[in-house]
Short mmCIF file of all heavy atoms in Angstrom, two decimals:
data_model
loop_
_atom_site.label_atom_id
_atom_site.label_comp_id
_atom_site.label_asym_id
_atom_site.label_seq_id
_atom_site.Cartn_x
_atom_site.Cartn_y
_atom_site.Cartn_z
N ALA Y 282 0.84 -1.20 0.00
CA ALA Y 282 0.00 0.00 0.00
C ALA Y 282 0.87 1.25 0.00
O ALA Y 282 0.57 2.23 -0.70
CB ALA Y 282 -0.94 0.00 1.21
N MET Y 283 1.97 1.22 0.77
CA MET Y 283 2.89 2.36 0.80
C MET Y 283 3.52 2.56 -0.58
O MET Y 283 3.62 3.68 -1.08
CB MET Y 283 3.97 2.14 1.86
CG MET Y 283 5.04 3.22 1.89
SD MET Y 283 6.35 2.93 3.10
CE MET Y 283 7.28 1.61 2.31
N VAL Y 284 3.96 1.45 -1.18
CA VAL Y 284 4.60 1.53 -2.50
C VAL Y 284 3.62 2.10 -3.51
O VAL Y 284 3.93 3.05 -4.24
CB VAL Y 284 5.10 0.14 -2.95
CG1 VAL Y 284 5.63 0.20 -4.38
CG2 VAL Y 284 6.17 -0.36 -2.00
N ASN Y 285 2.42 1.54 -3.55
CA ASN Y 285 1.42 1.98 -4.53
C ASN Y 285 0.99 3.42 -4.30
O ASN Y 285 0.77 4.17 -5.25
CB ASN Y 285 0.22 1.04 -4.51
CG ASN Y 285 0.59 -0.34 -5.02
OD1 ASN Y 285 1.42 -0.48 -5.92
ND2 ASN Y 285 -0.03 -1.37 -4.45
N GLU Y 286 0.87 3.82 -3.04
CA GLU Y 286 0.51 5.21 -2.73
C GLU Y 286 1.55 6.17 -3.28
O GLU Y 286 1.21 7.17 -3.91
CB GLU Y 286 0.38 5.40 -1.21
CG GLU Y 286 0.14 6.84 -0.80
CD GLU Y 286 0.31 7.07 0.69
OE1 GLU Y 286 0.95 6.26 1.39
OE2 GLU Y 286 -0.20 8.11 1.16
N CYS Y 287 2.81 5.86 -3.03
CA CYS Y 287 3.88 6.75 -3.49
C CYS Y 287 3.98 6.79 -5.01
O CYS Y 287 4.22 7.85 -5.60
CB CYS Y 287 5.22 6.32 -2.89
SG CYS Y 287 5.34 6.66 -1.12
N LEU Y 288 3.79 5.65 -5.65
CA LEU Y 288 3.89 5.61 -7.11
C LEU Y 288 2.69 6.27 -7.78
O LEU Y 288 2.82 6.84 -8.86
CB LEU Y 288 4.03 4.17 -7.59
CG LEU Y 288 5.32 3.46 -7.18
CD1 LEU Y 288 5.32 2.03 -7.69
CD2 LEU Y 288 6.55 4.20 -7.68
N ALA Y 289 1.53 6.22 -7.15
CA ALA Y 289 0.32 6.78 -7.74
C ALA Y 289 0.22 8.30 -7.56
O ALA Y 289 -0.43 8.98 -8.35
CB ALA Y 289 -0.91 6.12 -7.13
N ASP Y 290 0.86 8.82 -6.54
CA ASP Y 290 0.76 10.25 -6.23
C ASP Y 290 2.04 10.97 -6.67
O ASP Y 290 3.10 10.78 -6.07
CB ASP Y 290 0.54 10.44 -4.73
CG ASP Y 290 0.28 11.89 -4.34
OD1 ASP Y 290 0.57 12.80 -5.15
OD2 ASP Y 290 -0.20 12.11 -3.21
N PRO Y 291 1.96 11.81 -7.70
CA PRO Y 291 3.16 12.51 -8.17
C PRO Y 291 3.78 13.44 -7.12
O PRO Y 291 4.97 13.75 -7.20
CB PRO Y 291 2.69 13.30 -9.40
CG PRO Y 291 1.23 13.11 -9.51
CD PRO Y 291 0.79 12.12 -8.48
N ASN Y 292 3.00 13.85 -6.13
CA ASN Y 292 3.54 14.68 -5.06
C ASN Y 292 4.42 13.88 -4.11
O ASN Y 292 5.20 14.45 -3.36
CB ASN Y 292 2.42 15.35 -4.27
CG ASN Y 292 1.68 16.37 -5.11
OD1 ASN Y 292 2.29 17.09 -5.91
ND2 ASN Y 292 0.37 16.43 -4.97
N LEU Y 293 4.25 12.56 -4.11
CA LEU Y 293 5.07 11.70 -3.26
C LEU Y 293 6.20 11.10 -4.09
O LEU Y 293 7.35 11.41 -3.88
CB LEU Y 293 4.20 10.60 -2.62
CG LEU Y 293 3.04 11.06 -1.74
CD1 LEU Y 293 2.22 9.87 -1.27
CD2 LEU Y 293 3.55 11.88 -0.57
N GLY Y 294 5.86 10.20 -4.97
CA GLY Y 294 6.82 9.62 -5.90
C GLY Y 294 7.89 8.77 -5.23
O GLY Y 294 7.80 8.37 -4.08
N LEU Y 295 8.94 8.52 -6.00
CA LEU Y 295 10.03 7.67 -5.54
C LEU Y 295 10.83 8.31 -4.41
O LEU Y 295 11.39 7.61 -3.57
CB LEU Y 295 10.96 7.32 -6.71
CG LEU Y 295 10.37 6.41 -7.77
CD1 LEU Y 295 11.34 6.26 -8.93
CD2 LEU Y 295 10.00 5.06 -7.20
N GLY Y 296 10.86 9.64 -4.37
CA GLY Y 296 11.60 10.32 -3.31
C GLY Y 296 11.05 10.03 -1.93
O GLY Y 296 11.79 9.72 -0.99
N VAL Y 297 9.74 10.11 -1.79
CA VAL Y 297 9.11 9.83 -0.50
C VAL Y 297 9.21 8.34 -0.19
O VAL Y 297 9.45 7.94 0.96
CB VAL Y 297 7.64 10.32 -0.49
CG1 VAL Y 297 6.90 9.82 0.74
CG2 VAL Y 297 7.61 11.84 -0.56
N LEU Y 298 9.05 7.51 -1.21
CA LEU Y 298 9.17 6.06 -1.00
C LEU Y 298 10.58 5.72 -0.50
O LEU Y 298 10.75 4.95 0.44
CB LEU Y 298 8.87 5.30 -2.28
CG LEU Y 298 8.91 3.78 -2.18
CD1 LEU Y 298 7.93 3.27 -1.13
CD2 LEU Y 298 8.62 3.16 -3.54
N TYR Y 299 11.58 6.33 -1.10
CA TYR Y 299 12.97 6.13 -0.66
C TYR Y 299 13.15 6.55 0.80
O TYR Y 299 13.73 5.83 1.61
CB TYR Y 299 13.92 6.92 -1.56
CG TYR Y 299 15.35 6.94 -1.11
CD1 TYR Y 299 16.20 5.88 -1.40
CD2 TYR Y 299 15.87 8.01 -0.39
CE1 TYR Y 299 17.51 5.89 -0.99
CE2 TYR Y 299 17.17 8.02 0.03
CZ TYR Y 299 18.00 6.96 -0.28
OH TYR Y 299 19.31 6.98 0.14
N HIS Y 300 12.64 7.72 1.13
CA HIS Y 300 12.76 8.25 2.49
C HIS Y 300 12.10 7.30 3.50
O HIS Y 300 12.69 6.98 4.54
CB HIS Y 300 12.14 9.63 2.56
CG HIS Y 300 12.16 10.24 3.92
ND1 HIS Y 300 13.32 10.73 4.49
CD2 HIS Y 300 11.18 10.41 4.84
CE1 HIS Y 300 13.04 11.18 5.70
NE2 HIS Y 300 11.76 11.00 5.94
N ARG Y 301 10.90 6.86 3.20
CA ARG Y 301 10.19 5.94 4.10
C ARG Y 301 10.93 4.61 4.24
O ARG Y 301 11.02 4.04 5.32
CB ARG Y 301 8.77 5.69 3.60
CG ARG Y 301 7.87 6.91 3.72
CD ARG Y 301 6.51 6.63 3.14
NE ARG Y 301 5.64 7.79 3.24
CZ ARG Y 301 4.40 7.82 2.74
NH1 ARG Y 301 3.90 6.76 2.14
NH2 ARG Y 301 3.67 8.90 2.86
N LEU Y 302 11.47 4.13 3.13
CA LEU Y 302 12.20 2.86 3.15
C LEU Y 302 13.46 2.98 4.00
O LEU Y 302 13.78 2.09 4.80
CB LEU Y 302 12.55 2.42 1.73
CG LEU Y 302 13.30 1.11 1.58
CD1 LEU Y 302 12.54 -0.05 2.23
CD2 LEU Y 302 13.56 0.83 0.11
N VAL Y 303 14.18 4.08 3.85
CA VAL Y 303 15.38 4.28 4.66
C VAL Y 303 15.02 4.32 6.15
O VAL Y 303 15.72 3.71 6.97
CB VAL Y 303 16.14 5.57 4.23
CG1 VAL Y 303 17.19 5.97 5.24
CG2 VAL Y 303 16.77 5.37 2.86
N LEU Y 304 13.95 5.00 6.50
CA LEU Y 304 13.53 5.05 7.91
C LEU Y 304 13.19 3.66 8.43
O LEU Y 304 13.56 3.30 9.56
CB LEU Y 304 12.33 5.99 8.08
CG LEU Y 304 12.61 7.47 7.86
CD1 LEU Y 304 11.32 8.28 8.01
CD2 LEU Y 304 13.68 7.99 8.80
N ASP Y 305 12.51 2.86 7.61
CA ASP Y 305 12.18 1.48 8.02
C ASP Y 305 13.45 0.65 8.19
O ASP Y 305 13.57 -0.14 9.12
CB ASP Y 305 11.26 0.82 7.01
CG ASP Y 305 9.81 1.30 7.12
OD1 ASP Y 305 9.46 1.89 8.15
OD2 ASP Y 305 9.05 1.08 6.16
N LEU Y 306 14.41 0.83 7.29
CA LEU Y 306 15.67 0.09 7.41
C LEU Y 306 16.45 0.52 8.65
O LEU Y 306 17.05 -0.32 9.32
CB LEU Y 306 16.52 0.29 6.15
CG LEU Y 306 16.08 -0.50 4.93
CD1 LEU Y 306 16.84 -0.03 3.69
CD2 LEU Y 306 16.28 -1.99 5.15
N ILE Y 307 16.44 1.80 8.95
CA ILE Y 307 17.11 2.29 10.16
C ILE Y 307 16.48 1.65 11.40
O ILE Y 307 17.19 1.23 12.32
CB ILE Y 307 17.08 3.83 10.24
CG1 ILE Y 307 18.02 4.42 9.18
CG2 ILE Y 307 17.46 4.32 11.64
CD1 ILE Y 307 17.90 5.92 9.01
N ASP Y 308 15.16 1.53 11.41
CA ASP Y 308 14.49 0.86 12.53
C ASP Y 308 14.97 -0.58 12.66
O ASP Y 308 15.20 -1.08 13.76
CB ASP Y 308 12.97 0.88 12.34
CG ASP Y 308 12.36 2.24 12.61
OD1 ASP Y 308 13.04 3.10 13.21
OD2 ASP Y 308 11.19 2.45 12.22
#
């Protein structure tokens, strides 16, 4: 759902997906 949300919304895109993924990896 996170991946699809970021890919579907041009205001989010790969940049926000990358940021969220890095935060999850840091956790």
